[in-house]
Amino acid sequence: MKPEKQERIINAAMKEFVKSGFEKASTNEIVKDAQISKGSLFNYFSNKKDLYLFLIQNALNIIEQIYVEIDMNERDIFERISQVGFIKLNIQKKYPLVFDFLKSLIEEDAKDVKSEINQLLANVQKDGFKRIYENIDWSKLREDIEPEKAMNILNWAMTGFAELQIAKIKSFEDIGTEMFNEWDEYKEILKSCFYKNGE
Amino acid sequence: MKPEKQERIINAAMKEFVKSGFEKASTNEIVKDAQISKGSLFNYFSNKKDLYLFLIQNALNIIEQIYVEIDMNERDIFERISQVGFIKLNIQKKYPLVFDFLKSLIEEDAKDVKSEINQLLANVQKDGFKRIYENIDWSKLREDIEPEKAMNILNWAMTGFAELQIAKIKSFEDIGTEMFNEWDEYKEILKSCFYKNGE
DNA sequence: ATGAAATTGACCACTTTGGTCATCTTTCTG
DNA sequence: CAGAAAGATGACCAAAGTGGTCAATTTCAT
């Protein structure tokens, strides 16, 4: 199968599953959106559940990729965060809905797939945070701030910023440099907040 | 109609509309969840669209309530934020899904209701932020930080914190005081970051 | 030109849909 | 207490949509 076609199917299917959940997701909608025929879809996947489980596995693989791409030698937390943001952005370009799809799994409770989801998600690290922030040099941090709280605030800021950007553009073609510049400004503010004076 | 029953219907309907969107939302599910009969529902509302539009109006009224409850004389931004958080929490106790419901309207694109949504949302203030932060005393802020950026960071932190709490408890009965204490700690950190030294 | 592989969409039995309405229950009035 | 008015019910309906099949067609390497 052409990878471009596979991508179309994956994105169309994720879109529908995110929108409607497993049970209400319509295979008719998926094939329409992916521009393939019903028969084709059921050639590749023996049934809806099969497709769903494939998507989960696929999404997990994609996420795993984040961790291998992180440069664990970069010990500065702000640089690390920027790195992760950049990696995520690239993923979103190809699969705009992976993160939403994974999030939707948690709330999914269709009995047909509930147990399989739990099984697949059981292996995934509980706190992705912890892995992303491995080997960070916390000594630069002001001593009156708990690292965990700082981490949370930074995460919330990054997530909030990213959401704002996504809402703003809605098309990933023109990410441009302004976005990175703006993030840099936030970075500077937060650095001046959390780092000891002068670092 | 008993207000308690109305509340049940509103919450059941919002739940279903949030979960499934306008078109796929099932009136059967709504009546089941609200514990009323199909006939009753269609006595109160002439059809699904009617119910949906009522819910929107209702949600907008609820949100509007936030603004009248804010004490605009409180000029300290951290106190203001805590106030808003508290008001929102109380709203969520009664209508756990209003905010999700309103958020879902933006993405809704069923042709049956699209134009009405836009019409109803047109009147709502573009940036709720701006209104919530009216009359804030920005002079306490460190001068090297743009107030707008500070506002954003604070908002992201508050939202992130709130989400974390909601995920943690999933039941509003036991909000307890620990939550407020924990938020206070974040508040102190952020204060020490954004306010001039010693304020 | 040929055979194999890939693709199609009409078709199926079945479920669910939004909405109705004759009937039953509760409440109110005198 | 009778009787009327108002409220609540759920079986019922035509229509639409469901996941999945498969005989027929198209595509393509040889």
Side-chain angles (χ1 to χ4, degrees), chain A residues 5 36-37 39-40 43-44:
Chain A
K5 186 193 226 174
I36 58 164
S37 70
S40 256
N43 256 7
Y44 305 136

Short mmCIF file of all heavy atoms in Angstrom, two decimals, chain A residues 5 36-37 39-40 43-44, chain C residues 6-11 17:
data_model
loop_
_atom_site.label_atom_id
_atom_site.label_comp_id
_atom_site.label_asym_id
_atom_site.label_seq_id
_atom_site.Cartn_x
_atom_site.Cartn_y
_atom_site.Cartn_z
N LYS A 5 -1.34 6.84 0.90
CA LYS A 5 -2.71 6.38 1.08
C LYS A 5 -2.93 5.93 2.53
O LYS A 5 -3.96 6.23 3.14
CB LYS A 5 -2.97 5.20 0.13
CG LYS A 5 -4.40 4.72 0.13
CD LYS A 5 -4.49 3.39 -0.59
CE LYS A 5 -5.67 3.38 -1.55
NZ LYS A 5 -5.71 2.17 -2.36
N ILE A 36 -11.31 6.32 -0.20
CA ILE A 36 -11.16 4.94 -0.65
C ILE A 36 -12.52 4.28 -0.58
O ILE A 36 -13.47 4.85 -0.06
CB ILE A 36 -10.18 4.13 0.22
CG1 ILE A 36 -10.66 4.13 1.68
CG2 ILE A 36 -8.77 4.66 0.10
CD1 ILE A 36 -10.02 3.08 2.54
N SER A 37 -12.63 3.08 -1.11
CA SER A 37 -13.92 2.41 -1.09
C SER A 37 -14.07 1.57 0.17
O SER A 37 -13.09 1.21 0.81
CB SER A 37 -14.06 1.50 -2.31
OG SER A 37 -13.18 0.41 -2.17
N GLY A 39 -14.92 -1.47 0.42
CA GLY A 39 -14.26 -2.75 0.26
C GLY A 39 -12.79 -2.70 0.58
O GLY A 39 -12.25 -3.60 1.22
N SER A 40 -12.13 -1.62 0.13
CA SER A 40 -10.70 -1.49 0.38
C SER A 40 -10.41 -1.49 1.88
O SER A 40 -9.55 -2.22 2.35
CB SER A 40 -10.17 -0.18 -0.22
OG SER A 40 -9.47 -0.45 -1.40
N ASN A 43 -10.51 -4.68 3.31
CA ASN A 43 -9.42 -5.56 2.88
C ASN A 43 -8.23 -5.40 3.80
O ASN A 43 -7.59 -6.37 4.17
CB ASN A 43 -9.02 -5.19 1.44
CG ASN A 43 -9.54 -6.19 0.45
OD1 ASN A 43 -10.33 -7.07 0.82
ND2 ASN A 43 -9.12 -6.06 -0.80
N TYR A 44 -7.94 -4.16 4.14
CA TYR A 44 -6.79 -3.89 4.98
C TYR A 44 -7.03 -4.32 6.42
O TYR A 44 -6.15 -4.86 7.08
CB TYR A 44 -6.43 -2.40 4.95
CG TYR A 44 -6.21 -1.86 3.59
CD1 TYR A 44 -6.72 -0.63 3.19
CD2 TYR A 44 -5.48 -2.59 2.65
CE1 TYR A 44 -6.53 -0.14 1.92
CE2 TYR A 44 -5.28 -2.10 1.37
CZ TYR A 44 -5.81 -0.87 1.01
OH TYR A 44 -5.61 -0.39 -0.24
P DA C 6 -2.45 -7.12 -3.65
OP1 DA C 6 -1.28 -6.58 -2.95
OP2 DA C 6 -3.33 -8.12 -2.99
"O5'" DA C 6 -3.35 -5.89 -4.13
"C5'" DA C 6 -2.84 -5.05 -5.17
"C4'" DA C 6 -3.92 -4.08 -5.61
"O4'" DA C 6 -4.92 -4.78 -6.38
"C3'" DA C 6 -4.66 -3.40 -4.46
"O3'" DA C 6 -4.75 -2.02 -4.81
"C2'" DA C 6 -6.03 -4.09 -4.45
"C1'" DA C 6 -6.21 -4.41 -5.93
N9 DA C 6 -7.07 -5.55 -6.26
C8 DA C 6 -7.03 -6.82 -5.73
N7 DA C 6 -7.91 -7.64 -6.25
C5 DA C 6 -8.58 -6.86 -7.18
C6 DA C 6 -9.64 -7.14 -8.06
N6 DA C 6 -10.23 -8.34 -8.16
N1 DA C 6 -10.08 -6.14 -8.86
C2 DA C 6 -9.48 -4.93 -8.76
N3 DA C 6 -8.48 -4.55 -7.96
C4 DA C 6 -8.07 -5.57 -7.19
P DT C 7 -5.42 -0.96 -3.84
OP1 DT C 7 -4.78 0.35 -4.09
OP2 DT C 7 -5.47 -1.56 -2.50
"O5'" DT C 7 -6.89 -0.89 -4.43
"C5'" DT C 7 -7.08 -0.29 -5.72
"C4'" DT C 7 -8.56 -0.30 -6.05
"O4'" DT C 7 -9.02 -1.65 -6.19
"C3'" DT C 7 -9.47 0.34 -4.99
"O3'" DT C 7 -10.03 1.51 -5.57
"C2'" DT C 7 -10.50 -0.74 -4.66
"C1'" DT C 7 -10.39 -1.67 -5.87
N1 DT C 7 -10.73 -3.11 -5.63
C2 DT C 7 -11.70 -3.70 -6.42
O2 DT C 7 -12.33 -3.11 -7.28
N3 DT C 7 -11.93 -5.03 -6.15
C4 DT C 7 -11.28 -5.82 -5.19
O4 DT C 7 -11.57 -7.01 -5.06
C5 DT C 7 -10.28 -5.15 -4.42
C7 DT C 7 -9.54 -5.89 -3.36
C6 DT C 7 -10.05 -3.84 -4.66
P DT C 8 -10.98 2.42 -4.77
OP1 DT C 8 -10.84 3.80 -5.34
OP2 DT C 8 -10.80 2.18 -3.33
"O5'" DT C 8 -12.38 1.85 -5.22
"C5'" DT C 8 -12.73 1.92 -6.60
"C4'" DT C 8 -13.98 1.11 -6.84
"O4'" DT C 8 -13.76 -0.25 -6.43
"C3'" DT C 8 -15.18 1.56 -6.02
"O3'" DT C 8 -16.03 2.32 -6.85
"C2'" DT C 8 -15.84 0.27 -5.52
"C1'" DT C 8 -15.03 -0.81 -6.19
N1 DT C 8 -14.79 -2.03 -5.36
C2 DT C 8 -15.46 -3.19 -5.71
O2 DT C 8 -16.25 -3.25 -6.63
N3 DT C 8 -15.16 -4.27 -4.89
C4 DT C 8 -14.29 -4.29 -3.83
O4 DT C 8 -14.11 -5.32 -3.18
C5 DT C 8 -13.62 -3.06 -3.54
C7 DT C 8 -12.65 -2.98 -2.40
C6 DT C 8 -13.90 -1.99 -4.31
P DG C 9 -16.76 3.57 -6.31
OP1 DG C 9 -16.81 4.58 -7.38
OP2 DG C 9 -16.20 3.93 -5.00
"O5'" DG C 9 -18.23 3.01 -6.08
"C5'" DG C 9 -18.89 2.32 -7.14
"C4'" DG C 9 -19.97 1.42 -6.57
"O4'" DG C 9 -19.34 0.31 -5.88
"C3'" DG C 9 -20.87 2.09 -5.52
"O3'" DG C 9 -22.16 1.54 -5.63
"C2'" DG C 9 -20.24 1.63 -4.20
"C1'" DG C 9 -19.90 0.22 -4.58
N9 DG C 9 -18.93 -0.44 -3.72
C8 DG C 9 -17.99 0.16 -2.90
N7 DG C 9 -17.26 -0.70 -2.25
C5 DG C 9 -17.75 -1.94 -2.65
C6 DG C 9 -17.35 -3.25 -2.29
O6 DG C 9 -16.45 -3.57 -1.50
N1 DG C 9 -18.09 -4.22 -2.94
C2 DG C 9 -19.11 -3.97 -3.83
N2 DG C 9 -19.72 -5.02 -4.35
N3 DG C 9 -19.49 -2.74 -4.19
C4 DG C 9 -18.77 -1.79 -3.56
P DA C 10 -23.39 2.38 -6.07
OP1 DA C 10 -23.05 3.03 -7.34
OP2 DA C 10 -23.79 3.18 -4.90
"O5'" DA C 10 -24.50 1.27 -6.34
"C5'" DA C 10 -24.31 0.31 -7.37
"C4'" DA C 10 -24.76 -1.07 -6.91
"O4'" DA C 10 -23.80 -1.59 -5.95
"C3'" DA C 10 -26.12 -1.12 -6.21
"O3'" DA C 10 -26.76 -2.33 -6.61
"C2'" DA C 10 -25.76 -1.13 -4.72
"C1'" DA C 10 -24.46 -1.91 -4.73
N9 DA C 10 -23.52 -1.59 -3.66
C8 DA C 10 -23.12 -0.35 -3.24
N7 DA C 10 -22.24 -0.36 -2.27
C5 DA C 10 -22.04 -1.71 -2.04
C6 DA C 10 -21.21 -2.40 -1.13
N6 DA C 10 -20.40 -1.80 -0.26
N1 DA C 10 -21.25 -3.76 -1.14
C2 DA C 10 -22.07 -4.37 -2.03
N3 DA C 10 -22.87 -3.84 -2.93
C4 DA C 10 -22.81 -2.48 -2.88
P DC C 11 -28.26 -2.70 -6.16
OP1 DC C 11 -28.84 -3.59 -7.17
OP2 DC C 11 -28.94 -1.44 -5.76
"O5'" DC C 11 -28.02 -3.55 -4.83
"C5'" DC C 11 -27.35 -4.81 -4.94
"C4'" DC C 11 -27.16 -5.35 -3.54
"O4'" DC C 11 -26.12 -4.60 -2.87
"C3'" DC C 11 -28.39 -5.28 -2.63
"O3'" DC C 11 -28.83 -6.58 -2.36
"C2'" DC C 11 -27.89 -4.55 -1.39
"C1'" DC C 11 -26.38 -4.66 -1.49
N1 DC C 11 -25.61 -3.58 -0.82
C2 DC C 11 -24.64 -3.92 0.12
O2 DC C 11 -24.44 -5.10 0.39
N3 DC C 11 -23.94 -2.92 0.74
C4 DC C 11 -24.18 -1.65 0.43
N4 DC C 11 -23.46 -0.71 1.04
C5 DC C 11 -25.16 -1.29 -0.53
C6 DC C 11 -25.85 -2.26 -1.12
P DT C 17 -29.79 6.01 18.67
OP1 DT C 17 -28.64 6.77 19.18
OP2 DT C 17 -30.79 5.42 19.59
"O5'" DT C 17 -30.56 6.94 17.62
"C5'" DT C 17 -29.89 7.40 16.46
"C4'" DT C 17 -30.88 8.09 15.56
"O4'" DT C 17 -31.70 7.09 14.92
"C3'" DT C 17 -31.87 8.95 16.30
"O3'" DT C 17 -31.28 10.23 16.48
"C2'" DT C 17 -33.06 8.99 15.33
"C1'" DT C 17 -32.95 7.65 14.59
N1 DT C 17 -33.97 6.59 14.93
C2 DT C 17 -35.07 6.44 14.13
O2 DT C 17 -35.29 7.17 13.18
N3 DT C 17 -35.92 5.42 14.50
C4 DT C 17 -35.75 4.55 15.56
O4 DT C 17 -36.56 3.67 15.80
C5 DT C 17 -34.57 4.76 16.36
C7 DT C 17 -34.30 3.87 17.54
C6 DT C 17 -33.75 5.75 16.01
#
